[in-house]
Amino acid sequence: MGRRTASVGLVRGNAESQLDPDGFYLPSEYIENEVISVDDEDSTFWETEPTAMDLAYQEPVYRWAAKLIKADRLTPVVDVGCGTAFKMMKHLAPVTDTVVGADQASGIERARGRYTGATFVEGDLTDDALWEQLRALRPGFVLCADVVEHVADPRALVENLASLVRGSHARLLISTPDRSLMEKSPPLGPPTNALHVREWIPDEFRRLLESAGLRVVTERHLLPRSYLRTTDEFMRMQRRFRQRRPVPDPKSCMAFLVVAADPT
């Protein structure tokens, strides 16, 4: 069940915006979903093996990350919210000397069972101890692909991510859905995807990043997932074509490459 935010939000028609009480930079009438993407006493998030479709999501972000890492030989690489680590191991591990995955227990347990010898850090993303371990790594590159829309406090997550690149020339690549390009997401929420607590548009999310002392270097819109060579995928694309809907889907994933505004 959704709830209304307490935010003041953006001032429409004005280049200036007010810092809303939560620091989430969403419209004052925006309605959130409840947080259900976390492990708790009753259930775990990664209860079953992800499907091929699940694994296809965020792949365009991982491919961009791999190109950036390889081009500048960045290391260590930290993947915050790596889940079961399939995409991390497929795209990032081959292009860097050291890659570390961080996520909640249910994802890391599956990752450790599949990728023996790889490095993982287990912990809730609200746990200071997890962030202390990640800061100690002094990463050269940090990836956080489509995680921020799932958490209770996105400002805290962004500030913790900023702490991983602050005081260095490290880079952070962070992505999240652009609700203005999501085919069914209402402008004022709640997100149609029940796993998403909130969704932003580019201007709102850019302000959230900047509020944590980050500077946007490059911003791109990417496809939300890779496309499978299956009969089901082909049939789906045919249906979309007949319905005069975009084929493939709109580039609804917005990804921001950022650095610390003051690297000293």
Side-chain angles (χ1 to χ4, degrees):
M1 184 175 181
R3 68 180 180 86
R4 195 179 303 278
T5 67
S7 64
V8 174
L10 297 177
V11 179
R12 301 301 179 187
N14 192 323
E16 300 297 323
S17 71
Q18 299 180 28
L19 177 63
D20 61 85
D22 292 329
F24 299 162
Y25 291 93
L26 286 164
S28 59
E29 298 302 309
Y30 190 83
I31 299 174
E32 306 165 354
N33 283 326
E34 297 297 327
V35 180
I36 59 174
S37 300
V38 297
D39 295 345
D40 57 32
E41 295 179 355
D42 299 321
S43 64
T44 56
F45 182 66
W46 296 99
E47 291 183 337
T48 60
E49 286 293 322
T51 66
M53 181 66 79
D54 294 332
L55 297 173
Y57 278 95
Q58 295 92 47
E59 276 213 303
V61 180
Y62 275 81
R63 286 195 291 266
W64 185 21
K67 289 180 180 179
L68 293 168
I69 294 163
K70 184 177 181 180
D72 291 327
R73 300 179 181 178
L74 301 173
T75 192
V77 173
V78 174
D79 184 0
V80 176
C82 68
T84 61
F86 174 84
K87 286 166 282 192
M88 182 186 90
M89 298 304 293
K90 178 181 178 181
H91 297 284
L92 308 186
V95 296
T96 186
D97 294 335
T98 304
V99 63
V100 178
D103 210 322
Q104 58 189 332
S106 61
I108 295 302
E109 287 173 6
R110 290 185 178 276
R112 284 178 175 152
R114 179 179 291 108
Y115 304 109
T116 57
T119 303
F120 298 103
V121 178
E122 175 186 323
D124 190 284
L125 294 182
T126 62
D127 186 353
D128 289 341
L130 178 142
W131 294 102
E132 289 176 7
Q133 291 183 70
L134 298 181
R135 282 191 288 270
L137 295 170
R138 300 180 64 84
F141 189 90
V142 179
L143 175 64
C144 187
D146 285 26
V147 176
V148 66
E149 67 272 13
H150 293 268
V151 301
D153 188 345
R155 184 175 175 86
L157 174 61
V158 170
E159 288 178 341
N160 277 315
L161 290 167
S163 76
L164 299 183
V165 301
R166 191 174 294 126
S168 72
H169 293 281
R171 281 172 265 179
L172 163 66
L173 181 59
I174 182 170
S175 68
T176 192
D178 178 350
R179 74 170 186 276
S180 68
L181 295 177
M182 302 283 283
E183 292 184 318
K184 297 181 181 179
S185 285
L188 296 178
T192 304
N193 186 337
L195 295 175
H196 294 179
V197 182
R198 306 170 191 83
E199 293 169 349
W200 291 262
I201 61 174
D203 184 60
E204 295 164 353
F205 197 70
R206 192 181 307 110
R207 290 168 187 260
L208 175 62
L209 296 173
E210 291 170 350
S211 74
L214 294 167
R215 176 172 62 85
V216 177
V217 176
T218 307
E219 175 186 341
R220 289 184 182 178
H221 275 81
L222 305 170
L223 291 171
R225 62 181 176 88
S226 57
Y227 288 80
L228 310 176
R229 295 181 179 180
T230 64
T231 300
D232 287 345
E233 186 81 90
F234 179 71
M235 296 294 289
R236 178 181 181 276
M237 295 182 78
Q238 280 193 320
R239 286 196 301 272
R240 291 183 65 84
F241 181 79
R242 289 196 298 269
Q243 295 166 357
R244 297 184 179 181
R245 298 165 68 189
V247 178
D249 297 64
K251 291 185 176 181
S252 58
C253 173
M254 55 181 179
F256 295 79
L257 179 65
V258 301
V259 296
D262 182 4
T264 59

